[in-house]
């Protein structure tokens, strides 16, 4: 295995992942890929040759092995790891596409032009949807493969002895599985790590959706507050004019009250513009 390529891939995906995504990547590459490469292949080895049946009937051995092991665990896990890790590359490709668009925009309109993306690696817009869809795809892949292992092998156990009645076996044949305990341990280990990865992906989706909803609520609140401030600024001049009119009216009433009883009230003219009261 090319460990330099693996390290570069891990650092590239980690750069655009959340905290849950970084933990997910660590579990995948350290506890699944490395265990698969270092130990699982050696434990299974040439499993068909190690599968023994107590009969010399031609074809019986192959038919019984195909019945109990329709697909090799090692090949099934290899497919699972490929399908699980490849979607993470889509995020890196999407970010690279954004960066290339930004470079072409600068080359066409100059360095001081308006940027297409404030931060190409920030999960906004299409990149957010790409990231979430890759998480959904990874959850689906792990779930399907965990179910397939349970369905095809009728559980996660490896009995040391199995009985085969498939044709062309002449009768019930006893067959023996090599290293059943080791295979059981590694199978349970791979299943448990797959379930942990599923849970981490679900938590990451909940985190991303919750963060998106919170940002939307904050944005709506800010828009509502700015709208209220704009309305207050628009109503300011009209409120000031109303207060000025009320002040002139109050001054007129006070002048009328000062007139002595029995004396005809003089006529007053009100100059609203200058806020002065003059007798005619």
């Amino acid at each position: 295995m090319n460990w330099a390529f693996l390290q570069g891939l891990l650092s590239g995906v980690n750069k655009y992942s959340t905290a849950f995504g970084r933990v997910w990547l660590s579990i995948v590459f350290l506890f699944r890929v490395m265990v698969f490469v270092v130990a699982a292949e050696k434990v299974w080895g040439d499993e068909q040759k190690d599968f023994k049946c107590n009969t010399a009937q031609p074809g019986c051995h192959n038919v019984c092995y195909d019945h109990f092991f329709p697909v090799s665990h090692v090949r099934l896990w290899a497919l699972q790891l490929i399908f699980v890790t490849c979607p993470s590359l889509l995020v890196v490709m999407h970010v690279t596409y954004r960066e290339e668009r930004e470079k072409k925009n600068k080359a066409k309109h100059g360095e001081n032009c308006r940027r297409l993306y404030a931060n190409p690696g920030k999960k906004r817009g299409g990149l957010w949807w790409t990231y979430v869809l890759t998480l959904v795809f990874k959850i689906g892949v792990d779930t399907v493969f965990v179910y397939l292992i349970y369905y095809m092998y009728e559980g996660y156990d490896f009995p040391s002895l199995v009985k085969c009645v498939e044709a062309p076996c002449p009768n019930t044949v006893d067959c023996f599985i090599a290293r059943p305990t080791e295979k059981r341990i590694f199978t349970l280990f791979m299943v448990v790590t797959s379930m942990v990865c599923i849970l981490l992906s679900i938590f990451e989706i909940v985190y991303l959706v919750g963060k998106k909803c919170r940002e939307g609520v904050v944005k709506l609140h800010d828009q509502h507050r700015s709208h209220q401030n704009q309305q207050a600024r628009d109503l300011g001049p009209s409120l000031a004019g109303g207060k000025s009119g009320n002040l002139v009216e109050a001054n007129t009433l006070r002048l009328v009250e000062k007139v002595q009883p029995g004396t005809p009230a003089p006529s007053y003219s009100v100059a609203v513009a200058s806020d002065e009261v003059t007798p005619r």
Side-chain angles (χ1 to χ4, degrees):
M1 171 175 273
N2 191 341
W3 294 105
F5 170 76
L6 184 62
Q7 182 181 3
L9 177 64
L10 180 61
S11 61
V13 176
N14 261 334
K15 187 177 179 181
Y16 309 112
S17 300
T18 63
F20 292 105
R22 294 186 182 96
V23 175
W24 182 91
L25 282 170
S26 300
I27 291 176
V28 168
F29 285 97
L30 296 178
F31 294 98
R32 295 175 70 176
V33 173
M34 291 187 65
V35 169
F36 170 78
V37 173
V38 174
E41 288 184 334
K42 294 182 179 180
V43 170
W44 263 260
D46 191 359
E47 52 187 319
Q48 186 173 3
K49 187 182 294 185
D50 296 333
F51 186 80
K52 304 295 184 181
C53 296
N54 59 353
T55 182
Q57 177 70 27
C60 180
H61 176 272
N62 294 335
V63 170
C64 291
Y65 177 81
D66 184 69
H67 174 72
F68 290 107
F69 300 99
V71 181
S72 171
H73 281 70
V74 175
R75 295 175 180 85
L76 197 64
W77 287 332
L79 286 175
Q80 181 182 3
L81 291 173
I82 290 172
F83 282 117
V84 163
T85 54
C86 282
S88 299
L89 298 177
L90 293 177
V91 178
V92 180
M93 293 171 62
H94 197 150
V95 175
T96 305
Y97 166 75
R98 283 185 165 191
E99 292 175 348
E100 289 297 324
R101 282 196 63 191
E102 194 67 47
K103 289 180 182 178
K104 291 180 180 179
N105 183 58
K106 288 182 179 180
K108 183 177 181 180
H109 301 287
E111 291 292 333
N112 297 325
C113 65
R114 182 176 177 272
R115 299 188 62 180
L116 298 176
Y117 308 100
N119 184 2
K122 198 172 183 64
K123 289 180 281 295
R124 293 288 186 274
L127 184 60
W128 187 89
W129 285 105
T130 300
Y131 196 91
V132 172
L133 289 177
T134 56
L135 292 176
V136 174
F137 182 79
K138 288 186 287 189
I139 292 172
V141 168
D142 276 333
T143 304
V144 168
F145 274 91
V146 168
Y147 174 75
L148 280 177
I149 292 175
Y150 181 85
Y151 176 77
M152 287 191 298
Y153 304 110
E154 298 179 355
Y156 305 118
D157 192 19
F158 279 85
S160 57
L161 171 66
V162 291
K163 295 185 178 294
C164 178
V165 292
E166 302 292 321
C169 297
N171 47 36
T172 302
V173 176
D174 295 334
C175 297
F176 303 91
I177 301 174
R179 295 186 294 274
T181 304
E182 281 185 296
K183 292 179 178 179
R184 184 186 308 115
I185 292 173
F186 276 99
T187 300
L188 291 175
F189 179 83
M190 297 298 281
V191 170
V192 170
T193 52
S194 298
M195 297 299 294
V196 172
C197 289
I198 291 172
L199 291 176
L200 286 172
S201 297
I202 292 174
F203 291 156
E204 191 169 9
I205 290 177
V206 172
Y207 168 75
L208 290 172
V209 173
K211 185 178 179 182
K212 191 78 170 178
C213 293
R214 183 176 61 83
E215 290 177 352
V217 171
V218 171
K219 185 178 180 180
L220 288 176
H221 181 70
D222 292 341
Q223 289 178 351
H224 181 68
R225 180 180 295 176
S226 62
H227 181 66
Q228 287 181 337
N229 293 336
Q230 183 64 34
Q231 284 183 338
R233 285 193 296 268
D234 294 340
L235 293 175
S238 59
L239 292 175
K243 290 180 179 179
S244 177
N246 292 334
L247 181 60
V248 173
E249 184 178 355
N251 292 335
T252 304
L253 291 175
R254 284 198 295 269
L255 288 174
V256 171
E257 290 174 355
K258 290 180 180 179
V259 178
Q260 296 180 356
T263 305
S267 177
Y268 292 92
S269 63
V270 179
V272 177
S274 61
D275 292 345
E276 294 179 356
V277 181
T278 59
R280 291 182 180 176

